[in-house]
């Protein structure tokens, strides 16, 4: 099949969610506005996630996977997804399904005119502490990046693949994807999407690594912004 759109799904110890992920995407494939496949990136899970991923991939050609030798973190999983995607457009969603695959259609409506379309979680269903720490972290990032995004941590994004592959990823920079597209002089927009409570598995980030990590990463971003190489070819022959 000639796929147009690949959705990256990072996985770390999500055995309780993966069958739900399979069902949700099989439903989405029926309504997707572009021919779509899913790329699982198993980030060195210690549970039965890999076994379940392989079973899902055997059941349908719309699913494929890569699996890390050891746990390397969310930024590494997203970067690996960027590296392995072979379609002109890619997306990203967390395997906890706190956002809905069906909302990719909302983002895809805008991808012809923008280089990154990110969701902004409306009526978030997280705890007060998680919501507050996320709000503070997003405020810190906006102060440093001036990207105008209200929810850069939203795990529902669509990006043109050629832009995604040029992002110089480091640990923590998955939180700065809109800003990294702006460094390439790309265009970005945010669109409200649904949000749901986590009903299985456990969150991988706590209060402090939602605050301290983003603050440290902001300084890395400022250094990168100062050193970033950008050019446009005017003519070749």
């Amino acid at each position: 099949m000639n796929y147009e759109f690949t959705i990256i799904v990072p996985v770390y110890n999500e055995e309780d969610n993966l069958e739900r992920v399979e069902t949700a995407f099989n439903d989405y494939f029926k309504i997707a506005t572009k021919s779509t496949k899913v790329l699982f990136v198993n980030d060195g899970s210690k549970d039965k996630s890999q076994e379940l991923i392989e079973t899902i991939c055997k059941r349908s050609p719309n699913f494929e996977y890569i699996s890390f030798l050891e746990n390397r973190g969310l930024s590494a999983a997203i970067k690996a997804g960027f590296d392995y995607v072979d379609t002109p457009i890619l997306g990203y969603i967390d395997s906890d399904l706190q956002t809905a695959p069906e909302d990719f259609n909302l983002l895809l409506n805008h991808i012809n005119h923008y280089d990154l379309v990110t969701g902004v979680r409306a009526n978030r269903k997280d705890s007060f502490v998680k919501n507050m720490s996320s709000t503070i972290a997003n405020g810190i990032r906006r102060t440093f990046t001036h990207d105008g995004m209200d929810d850069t941590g939203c795990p529902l994004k669509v990006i043109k693949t050629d832009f995604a592959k040029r992002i110089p990823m480091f640990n923590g920079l998955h939180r700065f994807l809109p800003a990294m597209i702006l460094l390439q002089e790309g265009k970005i927009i945010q669109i409200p999407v649904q949000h749901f409570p986590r009903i299985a598995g456990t969150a991988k980030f706590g209060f402090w690594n939602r605050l301290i990590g983003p603050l440290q990463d902001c300084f890395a971003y400022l250094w990168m912004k100062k050193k970033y190489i950008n050019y446009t070819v005017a003519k070749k022959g």
Side-chain angles (χ1 to χ4, degrees):
M1 185 172 178
N2 186 22
Y3 294 102
E4 303 170 276
F5 181 42
T6 302
I7 300 171
I8 300 164
V9 183
V11 176
Y12 181 61
N13 294 343
E14 293 285 1
E15 63 180 7
D16 294 331
N17 278 315
L18 286 171
E19 289 185 349
R20 294 176 55 241
V21 170
E22 179 186 21
T23 299
F25 273 109
N26 280 331
D27 290 340
Y28 175 65
F29 294 146
K30 298 172 186 176
I31 63 169
T33 55
K34 293 187 180 293
S35 54
T36 303
K37 63 179 176 177
V38 168
L39 173 63
F40 289 112
V41 181
N42 183 10
D43 183 21
S45 296
K46 302 291 194 296
D47 61 1
K48 295 181 180 180
S49 291
Q50 181 60 30
E51 179 182 335
L52 287 167
I53 287 170
E54 292 185 27
T55 299
I56 291 168
C57 291
K58 287 176 182 176
R59 285 197 284 249
S60 171
N62 294 330
F63 295 92
E64 55 190 33
Y65 74 89
I66 57 176
S67 182
F68 287 179
L69 181 64
E70 57 188 1
N71 176 245
R72 304 301 292 176
L74 182 56
S75 291
I78 293 173
K79 173 65 165 65
F82 289 173
D83 291 343
Y84 278 82
V85 162
D86 58 4
T87 54
I89 304 171
L90 62 84
Y92 156 61
I93 190 172
D94 278 352
S95 51
D96 59 16
L97 288 184
Q98 288 195 255
T99 49
E102 65 202 59
D103 283 349
F104 275 116
N105 285 352
L106 298 176
L107 307 190
L108 287 168
N109 284 339
H110 302 272
I111 197 61
N112 287 340
H113 304 290
Y114 294 89
D115 304 300
L116 175 145
V117 186
T118 182
V120 53
R121 291 166 284 190
N123 301 314
R124 286 188 64 173
K125 301 300 191 296
D126 289 323
S127 67
F128 172 79
V129 171
K130 186 174 181 180
N131 283 336
M132 182 58 64
S133 60
S134 180
T135 298
I136 296 171
N138 276 311
I140 293 171
R141 280 192 290 269
R142 273 197 309 276
T143 299
F144 278 79
T145 64
H146 305 289
D147 61 10
M149 299 290 102
D150 297 315
D151 188 13
T152 59
C154 178
L156 196 75
K157 291 179 172 62
V158 172
I159 314 173
K160 289 178 179 173
T161 299
D162 57 344
F163 278 81
K165 288 183 180 292
R166 291 198 296 266
I167 294 174
M169 288 288 285
F170 294 87
N171 282 332
L173 285 187
H174 65 272
R175 305 181 181 99
F176 291 80
L177 295 180
M180 299 308 295
I181 298 301
L182 289 179
L183 281 186
Q184 301 179 46
E185 300 179 353
K187 297 171 65 179
I188 63 176
I189 190 175
Q190 59 183 4
I191 303 296
V193 297
Q194 303 173 88
H195 190 248
F196 307 93
R198 177 187 268 272
I199 65 173
T202 57
K204 308 305 186 292
F205 295 94
F207 179 80
W208 289 111
N209 58 14
R210 281 195 181 91
L211 292 181
I212 303 302
L215 181 59
Q216 294 173 329
D217 296 337
C218 283
F219 291 102
Y221 167 78
L222 289 181
W223 175 87
M224 188 178 304
K225 182 178 181 180
K226 183 178 180 181
K227 301 291 185 179
Y228 189 76
I229 295 173
N230 208 357
Y231 64 88
T232 302
V233 174
K235 186 182 292 186
K236 63 180 181 180

